[in-house]
Amino acid sequence: MRNHLNWNPEKTPKELGAMLEELGHYYPVRRGSGDGLSLVFEEACDIDGCEIRVSSGIATIRHATMTDAARGVGACLSGLVSEREPYVETTSFKTMGIMLDCSRNAVMTVDHVQRWLRQLSLLGYNMVMLYTEDTYALPGEPYFGYQRGAYSAAELKAIDDYAALLGIEIVPCIQTLGHLEKILRYGAYNTIRDTGSVMLVGESSTYELIEKMVSHWKSVCRTDRIHLGMDETHDLGRGRYLDKHGYRHGFDLFNEHLARVVKICEKHGLKPIIWSDMYFRLGCESGLYYDKETVIPDAVAEKVPRPVDLVYWDYYHGDKAFYLDWIARHRQLGKEPLMGSGIWTWNRYWYDHTTTARNAGPCIEACKESRLAEIFFTMWGDNGAYCDHDSAFAGMVFCAEKAYNDKEPDADRLEKRFGAVCGGSYAAHLLASGLHGAPDMPNPNMWDDPIFETAFRTWAGDDPGRMAAAAAGYADLADRLKRYADRRETGDFRYAFATARAFADRCGLAADLLRAYRSKDRKGLQAVKRRIGGVADSVLAMEQAFRDMWMSHNKPEGIETIQGRFGMLRARYRELDRRLDEFLAGEVSCVAELDYACPPS
């Protein structure tokens, strides 16, 4: 339930008035007087965050920044303030941001990005990166975003203008070395291809293209920063570069390339940011980012261009001490890093709260203890972006609460803020997160072949009993989600419910199929065969829910990849029906796909 808020344009700073005017189209925030709280704003230099005092129907929001004021408005909407005591929140973060992956099939529509921006402002976020490898239209480069839903210059300007209205900085987040396989697959880019995903260092046409990228983003965004990517270039210099120039150490190649790109950024008045992992990977024999034996030679550290900011990205550790160590290692490079944590959406159908809380929670604590000024939370779309990214707002609410308060997030506060700012139930989102967080269920993989069931059988150790127990867990989750199946305020619960139901039916069928086949139970196999159509229908219901979810907030390009996977499932269930027909009729002596024994782990 949202509280009604009023504001007086004559007593409200101009930039806050513009923000409130826009929010008023979507929230009960009204110009003038009326029922509810009246907002008064006081900019204060003695606090880091906001302090709200309520007296006689007036909520006075003392705030350090526009971002803190917006979060204060969110607190008032959420009913978290009262006359009994002041509402106080503090944070050491100058930047609280998110990074949305727009390169793994899903490119969010401008309208939906703007909805995100409104909700983010009320949660206290002030920076957004749209991760675009090639999903932006680049003048003179027709293959950029070709059939990929590229953002036009007008769309990017519209996003940037709207974000500025809400006090949010849009930072371009692109790639200028690796992760460019979607572009480098075209013959037009043969001259700048080192390997299938990495650009050719030292080639003049490489830097001509990069300058086009940098110049374009400068023209559509008002920020003075640009994230250049440059992560995970494991095969740098080992393709056409090796053929043309011979072997050179990765450190030298990386720094040479970075220095040239930095000059391009400086020419266009932009301060560059890169992911830091390649310095750490190239500094150890294992090639791993988080190897504690990593040593970056002083001579190499000295060559890191001074204008470049480094992002320490880490989504995987649940130990605060590890984050403290790696922050210190970045500082030893002479850099104050930005922290890139993760709100887990990748290889997921729904936001994974268990993993996010386990890893992002200690990360935030370490950053606060280290007094890092900037943190953002990535939301990747690896393997096709089939997650309902709106569900990640549960993670954004959680992480903001951790960042603005020293205590563990209070369930009641989280529920109230989520309901008022995002709509819907925070607790329901955590329930749906059980798709990934239950100890007796695997991280589900709908794209596994439904006859071989490789991932599921490996997880279960080929034990039909364990497989059946997982099916029962999914069925229980589906039963509990059914009551929310019509809720779509933030997160489409029809998709969550249909996914849980499909996994319950699919896993149950797989368990019974394996058990009956191994015991040569013909009646059991006949019963399994009769259920195949129903399981296929469950998968079809999930596909329909997925399409509705996708089309409600993404451009249509990209959905074909996931629909192709659903088509494969339908074909393979038909094949399973045929295979059992042949076996039961005595036309074949076995179902060879089921004869494989799971290798020992």
Side-chain angles (χ1 to χ4, degrees):
M1 185 68 179
R2 295 166 175 162
N3 283 358
H4 284 83
L5 307 179
N6 310 297
W7 60 282
N8 185 335
E10 295 180 2
K11 298 181 179 180
T12 301
K14 184 177 179 180
E15 65 174 12
L16 293 182
M19 176 189 72
L20 294 170
E21 190 77 47
E22 180 59 27
L23 291 173
H25 297 306
Y26 306 93
Y27 295 90
V29 179
R30 299 175 298 204
R31 176 201 290 254
S33 59
D35 296 336
L37 285 174
S38 294
L39 302 179
V40 174
F41 296 91
E42 292 182 3
E43 190 170 346
C45 59
D46 61 333
I47 57 174
D48 292 316
C50 72
E51 176 186 285
I52 307 172
R53 295 179 182 272
V54 179
S55 178
S56 302
I58 298 173
T60 301
I61 302 176
R62 299 184 72 240
H63 58 94
T65 66
M66 183 178 179
T67 303
D68 300 322
R71 182 165 169 87
V73 173
C76 293
L77 281 171
S78 306
L80 296 176
V81 300
S82 73
E83 295 193 11
R84 293 189 301 274
E85 58 183 352
Y87 180 91
V88 179
E89 289 190 321
T90 60
T91 183
S92 58
F93 295 117
K94 177 185 73 175
T95 298
M96 271 282 292
I98 64 129
M99 193 220 72
L100 177 64
D101 187 350
C102 297
S103 294
R104 267 58 168 229
N105 288 351
V107 179
M108 194 174 283
T109 65
V110 172
D111 284 348
H112 209 70
V113 171
Q114 291 175 339
R115 178 181 176 181
W116 270 48
L117 291 169
R118 292 190 295 271
Q119 294 180 183
L120 286 165
S121 69
L122 291 169
L123 295 176
Y125 289 86
N126 61 1
M127 187 269 282
V128 170
M129 296 179 182
L130 299 178
Y131 177 73
T132 49
E133 294 171 354
D134 69 308
T135 48
Y136 56 96
L138 189 61
E141 303 293 335
Y143 285 108
F144 262 72
Y146 175 63
Q147 296 183 335
R148 294 257 289 150
Y151 285 119
S152 68
E155 287 178 318
L156 291 172
K157 287 178 181 178
I159 290 171
D160 189 66
D161 288 344
Y162 198 81
L165 182 67
L166 300 171
I168 295 174
E169 176 190 18
I170 299 294
V171 176
C173 187
I174 62 175
Q175 286 288 359
T176 56
L177 184 57
H179 283 294
L180 287 170
E181 55 272 10
K182 294 296 185 182
I183 278 296
L184 296 179
R185 61 182 168 168
Y186 292 112
Y189 296 101
N190 284 345
T191 60
I192 66 164
R193 183 191 302 117
D194 180 4
T195 68
S197 62
V198 177
M199 301 176 91
L200 186 59
V201 172
E203 195 73 19
S204 60
S205 52
T206 294
Y207 303 98
E208 290 169 7
L209 178 61
I210 290 173
E211 181 153 15
K212 279 187 180 181
M213 298 176 185
V214 171
S215 174
H216 174 71
W217 281 98
K218 174 66 176 179
S219 72
V220 296
C221 291
R222 45 177 50 78
T223 184
D224 63 355
R225 303 199 285 181
I226 185 168
H227 194 324
L228 301 169
M230 298 199 189
D231 60 311
E232 297 182 323
T233 53
H234 308 295
D235 49 355
L236 172 64
R238 298 185 181 184
R240 289 184 61 244
Y241 187 94
L242 185 65
D243 295 338
K244 291 185 67 172
H245 306 291
Y247 175 76
R248 288 182 64 196
H249 196 283
F251 266 133
D252 297 330
L253 281 178
F254 191 85
N255 274 333
E256 175 188 308
H257 179 74
L258 179 57
R260 292 187 66 167
V261 179
V262 167
K263 287 183 179 179
I264 293 172
C265 292
E266 290 179 326
K267 174 182 174 181
H268 293 277
L270 291 171
K271 184 174 178 59
I273 304 167
I274 65 169
W275 307 105
S276 72
D277 62 296
M278 288 307 295
Y279 282 111
F280 286 80
R281 293 179 195 276
L282 293 168
C284 68
E285 292 184 3
S286 70
L288 300 176
Y289 187 14
Y290 309 114
D291 187 336
K292 291 192 175 185
E293 301 304 314
T294 295
V295 176
I296 300 176
D298 290 343
V300 172
E302 289 170 1
K303 291 181 181 178
V304 180
R306 292 303 96 189
V308 175
D309 284 334
L310 300 180
V311 177
Y312 161 33
W313 61 269
D314 192 337
Y315 327 129
Y316 305 109
H317 292 95
D319 178 9
K320 183 172 79 169
F322 188 94
Y323 292 104
L324 291 171
D325 180 18
W326 242 247
I327 290 168
R329 289 175 186 242
H330 280 78
R331 285 173 169 165
Q332 287 167 9
L333 285 172
K335 296 292 184 180
E336 188 66 6
L338 292 79
M339 184 72 226
S341 185
I343 291 173
W344 278 69
T345 54
W346 56 101
N347 294 310
R348 303 292 193 271
Y349 302 84
W350 196 265
Y351 158 66
D352 181 348
H353 180 72
T354 300
T355 307
T356 300
R358 183 176 62 233
N359 297 343
C363 176
I364 294 168
E365 293 169 7
C367 291
K368 291 169 76 172
E369 185 173 320
S370 300
R371 302 295 293 180
L372 275 192
E374 299 193 271
I375 188 170
F376 65 93
F377 301 91
T378 60
M379 281 161 273
W380 296 105
D382 298 29
N383 197 24
Y386 45 83
C387 183
D388 182 346
H389 271 79
D390 278 10
S391 70
F393 267 99
M396 288 179 258
V397 170
F398 171 83
C399 290
E401 197 72 17
K402 286 280 292 185
Y404 275 88
N405 296 279
D406 292 330
K407 297 178 181 178
E408 275 302 300
D410 176 81
D412 183 59
R413 282 168 63 125
L414 290 168
E415 188 66 57
K416 288 179 178 177
R417 194 182 291 272
F418 187 90
V421 173
C422 305
S425 166
Y426 179 80
H429 277 72
L430 266 55
L431 174 62
S433 178
L435 276 167
H436 309 283
D440 58 343
M441 295 189 292
N443 186 33
N445 182 1
M446 184 56 70
W447 321 126
D448 205 5
D449 183 272
I451 303 179
F452 285 107
E453 290 287 8
T454 306
F456 188 40
R457 288 178 60 185
T458 301
W459 169 83
D462 251 1
D463 178 359
R466 194 176 184 206
M467 294 164 70
Y474 289 125
D476 177 66
L477 178 59
D479 288 344
R480 289 184 288 151
L481 285 172
K482 190 173 184 178
R483 61 180 291 201
Y484 300 106
D486 293 331
R487 302 293 297 271
R488 300 183 186 180
E489 299 96 326
T490 296
D492 189 334
F493 278 87
R494 180 185 166 213
Y495 179 54
F497 165 72
T499 301
R501 185 70 263 162
F503 274 112
D505 292 346
R506 175 174 180 169
C507 293
L509 184 78
D512 291 345
L513 172 63
L514 193 60
R515 182 185 292 113
Y517 180 76
R518 285 184 171 172
S519 62
K520 305 307 177 190
D521 177 1
R522 294 181 63 83
K523 286 186 177 180
L525 287 173
Q526 288 168 348
V528 166
K529 186 177 181 304
R530 289 193 293 270
R531 287 164 51 196
I532 292 173
V535 174
D537 286 344
S538 287
V539 173
L540 177 60
M542 178 186 170
E543 178 188 17
Q544 291 171 336
F546 164 78
R547 183 186 185 279
D548 289 345
M549 177 275 292
W550 180 287
M551 291 299 189
S552 71
H553 49 248
N554 295 322
K555 295 185 177 187
E557 295 92 339
I559 194 175
E560 72 282 353
T561 298
I562 308 303
Q563 288 179 329
R565 295 178 190 175
F566 278 116
M568 177 275 292
L569 293 175
R570 290 196 296 273
R572 292 297 284 167
Y573 276 119
R574 288 195 299 271
E575 182 62 20
L576 176 59
D577 188 65
R578 295 185 190 114
R579 298 289 285 136
L580 291 181
D581 256 346
E582 293 167 348
F583 180 70
L584 290 169
E587 296 174 15
V588 296
S589 60
C590 68
V591 180
E593 301 92 325
L594 302 179
D595 282 333
Y596 288 92
C598 179
S601 58

